[in-house]
Amino acid sequence: MGKAAKDAAFQLATASTAQKNQALAIIADELEANSATILAANAKDIELGREAGLTEALLDRLLLNEERLTGIANDVRNVISLNDPVGSEIDSKVLENGMSLARRRVPLGVVGVIYEARPNVTIDIAALCLKTGNASILRGGKETFFSNMELVKVIQSALAKADLPAASVQYIEKPDRELVSQLLKLDDYVDMIIPRGGAGLHKMCKENSTIPVIIGGFGISHIFVDESANLAKSLDVVENAKVQRPSACNSLDTLLVHEGVAAEFLPMLAERMNDKVTFVAEPKAKALMSNATQIRDAAEGDFDTEWLSYTLGVKVVADVKEAVDHMRIHNASHSDAIMTNSLENAELFINSVGSAAVYVNASTRFTDGAQFGLGAEVAVSTQKLHARGPMGLEELTSYKWVGKANYLPRS
């Protein structure tokens, strides 16, 4: 598979934008044309997931329906409309010796992606990799096996119709964990590994890969409600960040509230979200939430938990500095927000927080490739090298130096 992917990447690197876009258009059309088959396969995965005792949050991640499938197809069409970064020049200059020197964007080559219960990721990765001239080797979770088999059939059929190599997108079908270990050691053929899943998957990839690994998709997301915030509007944002899609990696995990407004805000929070959320609160917060119907004391490790469910950690803090200190300790690396009307506190928060995406008076749920205008995303990177936040087309490219001269020897 590695050798076939490397050969395919060589062909993709010189494919025209029109040819790549043709393949993407066929993928989008075929997804809709084959929706009945894809949804039947997904229903099988959902049934097996329920029998295996998967949580509702995980089942929601796994679920495809007509609306979601149409959305996935439209995301692919959106990628077609985006500029192809391959071949573009980042910057250029003319040296004193007369040589013109530029940095030109090129594909990474072969990207290996290991992911869990999200069948849409199969299409997102394939679309972004194809647009940027990268071949991909995919390994989804066993929970999405039947869905992914049908999706990969659609992709490879579209590749053939566009006269591109089928090995441009390959899928590791066997659930054997040993094959993942082999993929992580395939540095002769694979240029980058992207894990999408929980902390355990990222840790395993970091410790075992001989290939550069992009870490992302995991991190505790926080919102801090400052003393100056508009509380009614803040409540709307907090509700959106927590309950719109709690299984998403950018959903809210921990709410931090300034002690100056906690007595007013926390009862409002409980009243608004009692029928939806279980609160996990430290003592100061719990004492102010007597009207909460589902609440328990925060235990050790709770503020380090990415809930991915209708559970919300709540803590009262003295000020923005204590909020930032809490976040530094408890893995704020993904998406974090401040609700405030203080420009000074907003800037302090932005500059202090080490997250890939930081918001002022906006929901953490915006951390998404489509929302950022990048098209679909291959991952949300929380590391600090090469790419941060939603990884779109540019983040799947590298560059080469190109020098042009008139038969110029070095003096």
Side-chain angles (χ1 to χ4, degrees):
M1 291 179 76
K3 187 177 185 306
K6 193 166 185 175
D7 290 343
F10 179 75
Q11 296 181 58
L12 286 173
T14 55
S16 68
T17 300
Q19 190 177 15
K20 293 184 289 186
N21 283 343
Q22 181 190 14
L24 293 172
I26 297 169
I27 287 173
D29 292 344
E30 294 279 309
L31 284 171
E32 293 175 338
N34 292 279
S35 63
T37 306
I38 294 167
L39 295 180
N42 183 252
K44 201 179 297 185
D45 285 327
I46 292 287
E47 182 182 352
L48 291 171
R50 283 213 169 88
E51 290 174 4
L54 295 184
T55 65
E56 286 302 315
L58 281 174
L59 288 171
D60 180 61
R61 281 186 161 201
L62 170 58
L63 178 67
L64 288 177
N65 53 34
E66 288 282 0
E67 182 181 359
R68 287 187 180 181
L69 198 56
T70 299
I72 292 168
N74 287 335
D75 282 344
V76 175
R77 294 186 180 105
N78 187 43
V79 172
I80 296 170
S81 70
L82 300 174
N83 289 332
D84 183 353
V86 175
S88 64
E89 292 188 349
I90 301 169
D91 50 37
S92 61
K93 57 186 175 182
V94 178
L95 304 181
E96 287 185 11
N97 60 13
M99 179 189 291
S100 69
L101 191 63
R103 289 189 296 157
R104 183 176 294 182
R105 289 198 180 277
V106 296
L108 290 169
V110 178
V111 179
V113 187
I114 304 165
Y115 53 105
E116 296 176 346
R118 281 184 180 273
N120 62 295
V121 173
T122 303
I123 300 298
D124 289 350
I125 294 164
L128 290 173
C129 284
L130 283 171
K131 181 81 175 194
T132 48
N134 293 294
S136 55
I137 298 177
L138 313 180
R139 205 295 194 156
K142 64 179 185 295
E143 309 90 350
T144 52
F145 177 79
F146 292 104
S147 305
N148 284 335
M149 287 300 94
E150 292 303 322
L151 293 173
V152 171
K153 281 182 189 175
V154 166
I155 294 166
Q156 294 191 333
S157 170
L159 288 167
K161 291 177 181 178
D163 199 27
L164 290 172
S168 299
V169 180
Q170 296 181 84
Y171 189 84
I172 299 174
E173 298 181 8
K174 296 180 181 177
D176 189 349
R177 196 71 177 263
E178 176 58 29
L179 296 180
V180 174
S181 298
Q182 289 181 26
L183 174 61
L184 295 177
K185 299 288 192 292
L186 218 60
D187 49 273
D188 282 345
Y189 303 108
V190 179
D191 298 284
M192 179 181 288
I193 293 289
I194 302 176
R196 287 190 57 160
L201 174 62
H202 288 88
K203 185 171 185 288
M204 186 268 288
C205 289
K206 280 196 296 184
E207 291 178 352
N208 295 284
S209 180
T210 58
I211 304 163
V213 177
I214 291 279
I215 297 301
F218 174 80
I220 311 305
S221 291
H222 304 76
I223 289 180
F224 168 56
V225 179
D226 188 26
E227 187 175 30
S228 65
N230 180 310
L231 299 187
K233 291 181 179 179
S234 297
L235 188 59
D236 291 339
V237 174
V238 169
E239 182 180 30
N240 170 266
K242 181 67 253 181
V243 306
Q244 187 195 50
R245 194 171 182 188
S247 63
C249 60
N250 57 17
S251 64
L252 179 62
D253 298 301
T254 299
L255 176 68
L256 305 171
V257 182
H258 192 292
E259 62 185 10
V261 295
E264 181 180 357
F265 186 76
L266 289 178
M268 292 167 58
L269 175 75
E271 183 178 351
R272 173 75 69 91
M273 298 174 69
N274 263 338
D275 60 336
K276 302 169 184 171
V277 171
T278 298
F279 299 104
V280 176
E282 53 78 45
K284 285 183 184 177
K286 189 178 180 187
L288 297 171
M289 301 178 72
S290 58
N291 61 330
T293 56
Q294 300 181 81
I295 190 167
R296 66 170 176 83
D297 293 321
E300 185 176 353
D302 279 341
F303 289 118
D304 298 304
T305 301
E306 186 183 22
W307 296 111
L308 302 175
S309 65
Y310 290 100
T311 302
L312 178 62
V314 186
K315 183 179 180 179
V316 175
V317 295
D319 52 26
V320 64
K321 291 181 180 177
E322 186 180 338
V324 169
D325 285 343
H326 172 94
M327 293 164 64
R328 287 175 61 199
I329 294 167
H330 298 286
N331 194 20
S333 58
H334 196 294
S335 303
D336 298 285
I338 181 172
M339 304 294 112
T340 186
N341 285 330
S342 164
L343 181 61
E344 181 182 357
N345 284 350
E347 287 301 315
L348 178 60
F349 187 87
I350 290 168
N351 294 332
S352 302
V353 171
S355 313
V358 184
Y359 299 94
V360 177
N361 298 332
S363 172
T364 58
R365 289 280 291 121
F366 281 107
T367 307
D368 175 83
Q371 292 289 329
F372 279 17
L374 305 176
E377 71 193 29
V378 69
V380 176
S381 170
T382 54
Q383 64 169 23
K384 296 186 178 181
L385 297 177
H386 171 60
R388 295 199 81 189
M391 291 182 62
L393 298 176
E394 287 191 0
E395 288 73 26
L396 285 174
T397 64
S398 182
Y399 62 84
K400 65 173 63 169
W401 290 95
V402 179
K404 295 180 180 179
N406 187 21
Y407 301 97
L408 180 70
R410 179 175 172 179
S411 59

